[in-house]
Amino acid sequence: MSRSDPLIDAFLDDLWSTKGLSDNTLSAYRSDLCHFEHYLRQQGLTLLAVSQTEVRGYLAFRLEQDFARSSSARLMSSLRRFYAYLLHKQQIATDPMALIESPQLSRQLPDSLSESQVSRLLAEPDVDDPLERRDKAMLELLYATGLRVSELVGLTMEQLSLRQGLVRIVGKGGKERLVPLGELAVAEVEAYLTEARQILLGYKQSDVLFPSRRGQMMTRQTFWHRIKRYALRAGIETELSPHTLRHAFATHLLNHGADLRVVQLLLGHSDLSTTQIYTHVARARLQALHEQYHPRA
């Protein structure tokens, strides 16, 4: 599976040019389709010689191999888009995915942090250290805006307007959105720009807003590991993910009365149903508070 089938390459090129999908999303599609192509090859078949029977056989094979239901759901999405593309290009006569249903997924509540935990996390970086001053600004900005970590580390100077208190984000599918920063985030980013950024850059010119120790754009994995280190120092035992502060941002907004559609716009969700899972989070927190404090709960 070291080389992709030309059909897969053509499909991914089409997605990249027409949908503007991220490298991570395209990589996930490639992985799903290459594994499926490898399975077909072992059956003496090709991607163009597939019926519902082969697709169902592959799903049964994955079930036997104990693949997660969520990964099978993603696979189904990959196969649906791929075979819709082939049908549109008239490379197949019928769509083998037409009558196949995706596995039902339980709605899992995203991991989040309480407001006190967020406060402890944000207070942890040592602002006298240039790297930690940078991290402090990044954490404040992340919690203030609900950005994806990939959006945060990819920020450039031209996307930021401290005077207006806004950051311009190009999210999934190339969609732009303007997100307000808030006074605390603006103050922390200003302090970082004044005290630390040029030190990290070695006083060289760069458009990267939050450069690494080497003066280059940081990877999201690096920043995630730094978040976990601050959480450990702050005594936070909650399991963290790269999106933990994004989830906290949405949950805390809803807990304080924000409109769901406003949260949808701020998060950059194209579909309101994606945002609605946070109403379950907020409702669960409110129910827990009621049970804890109401005398007749």
Side-chain angles (χ1 to χ4, degrees):
M1 292 187 295
S2 59
R3 294 176 64 95
S4 298
D5 185 286
L7 289 172
I8 297 175
D9 289 337
F11 166 66
L12 295 174
D13 287 344
D14 182 78
L15 277 185
W16 178 83
S17 62
T18 61
K19 303 297 183 182
L21 299 184
S22 70
D23 289 343
N24 290 330
T25 301
L26 293 174
S27 177
Y29 277 123
R30 183 183 299 278
S31 176
D32 288 340
L33 295 172
C34 284
H35 278 90
F36 182 55
E37 192 272 336
H38 179 69
Y39 168 83
L40 291 176
R41 199 160 8 103
Q42 291 180 321
Q43 314 298 314
L45 299 169
T46 68
L47 289 167
L48 294 178
V50 173
S51 67
Q52 294 175 25
T53 301
E54 284 75 41
V55 175
R56 295 186 190 278
Y58 183 53
L59 292 174
F61 165 76
R62 289 174 61 87
L63 188 62
E64 292 173 358
Q65 300 296 314
D66 290 326
F67 280 88
R69 187 178 289 262
S70 58
S71 71
S72 292
R74 191 193 73 183
L75 165 75
M76 293 292 287
S77 176
S78 300
L79 292 179
R80 287 189 198 286
R81 293 191 82 156
F82 177 64
Y83 281 104
Y85 163 80
L86 293 182
L87 188 66
H88 176 71
K89 294 294 184 180
Q90 299 182 334
Q91 293 184 279
I92 55 174
T94 58
D95 184 352
M97 303 300 298
L99 299 178
I100 297 180
E101 296 182 358
S102 296
Q104 294 297 311
L105 296 177
S106 59
R107 293 178 69 86
Q108 294 186 352
L109 301 182
D111 293 327
S112 188
L113 295 173
S114 68
E115 292 180 39
S116 62
Q117 286 176 317
V118 170
S119 295
R120 282 157 47 201
L121 179 66
L122 298 184
E124 194 55 43
D126 177 4
V127 295
D128 292 327
D129 178 283
L131 276 176
E132 298 205 8
R133 167 57 84 182
R134 177 204 65 192
D135 294 346
K136 168 81 168 173
M138 294 180 77
L139 288 169
E140 289 282 1
L141 195 151
L142 194 60
Y143 180 55
T145 60
L147 301 187
R148 300 174 179 91
V149 172
S150 57
E151 293 171 343
L152 176 72
V153 299
L155 283 177
T156 61
M157 292 292 292
E158 67 177 12
Q159 290 177 261
L160 182 71
S161 174
L162 293 179
R163 184 174 58 83
Q164 296 181 347
L166 294 171
V167 62
R168 179 173 52 83
I169 302 300
V170 181
K172 291 185 175 181
K175 295 179 180 177
E176 284 196 8
R177 67 187 192 276
L178 289 174
V179 184
L181 296 178
E183 292 182 3
L184 286 176
V186 168
E188 289 297 337
V189 173
E190 282 181 335
Y192 153 72
L193 292 175
T194 302
E195 302 169 16
R197 182 171 178 270
Q198 284 303 312
I199 296 175
L200 295 178
L201 287 172
Y203 299 93
K204 297 178 182 177
Q205 294 297 313
S206 173
D207 196 35
V208 176
L209 179 56
F210 296 115
S212 68
R213 189 192 303 269
R214 298 180 179 179
Q216 300 172 341
M217 186 173 289
M218 196 189 320
T219 67
R220 60 195 180 97
Q221 292 86 355
T222 296
F223 185 61
W224 178 29
H225 288 307
R226 294 189 70 82
I227 292 177
K228 292 200 293 184
R229 187 170 73 176
Y230 293 125
L232 184 64
R233 279 167 36 179
I236 297 171
E237 298 180 355
T238 303
E239 187 70 25
L240 298 181
S241 76
H243 276 346
T244 297
L245 281 177
R246 179 170 163 87
H247 299 323
F249 163 83
T251 303
H252 298 168
L253 277 177
L254 289 169
N255 282 344
H256 286 276
D259 182 84
L260 188 64
R261 289 196 178 274
V262 172
V263 177
Q264 175 194 0
L265 292 172
L266 293 174
L267 291 174
H269 287 162
S270 58
D271 191 336
L272 185 62
S273 64
T274 309
T275 317
Q276 283 175 332
I277 189 170
Y278 292 106
T279 63
H280 296 269
V281 181
R283 195 175 299 126
R285 297 273 166 83
L286 291 174
Q287 183 176 352
L289 287 172
H290 181 273
E291 291 175 353
Q292 181 178 356
Y293 295 112
H294 195 282
R296 296 184 179 275

